[in-house]
Amino acid sequence: MPATSKAQQKAAGAALAAKRGDTPTSRLKGASRSMADSMTEARLRELAATPRKGKPERKGDNGP
């Protein structure tokens, strides 16, 4: 399932970096921290790879 917003895509990218060991988990906050704990690397990769074009910044926002 693709990311529904730019914020979700960014959080998945941060969580994926921590999962791979590129970023320490202690630097994660909020959604990215819970994503890193609860999702598999494959699921995070799928969310992070979502194209941003046409996505709202936040889930409740109306996009351009």
Side-chain angles (χ1 to χ4, degrees):
M1 173 164 77
T4 58
S5 69
K6 291 178 185 178
Q8 187 181 39
Q9 191 263 344
K10 290 177 195 177
L16 181 59
K19 191 78 114 170
R20 290 178 175 169
D22 297 335
T23 304
T25 308
S26 60
R27 294 189 66 202
L28 298 179
K29 298 179 189 176
S32 57
R33 181 174 286 228
S34 63
M35 285 177 154
D37 292 339
S38 65
M39 294 184 172
T40 65
E41 187 174 332
R43 177 76 172 114
L44 289 170
R45 189 178 324 113
E46 182 182 348
L47 283 172
T50 303
R52 285 188 180 178
K53 188 173 184 178
K55 299 281 184 204
E57 185 60 38
R58 300 271 178 221
K59 189 174 181 186
D61 293 349
N62 291 330

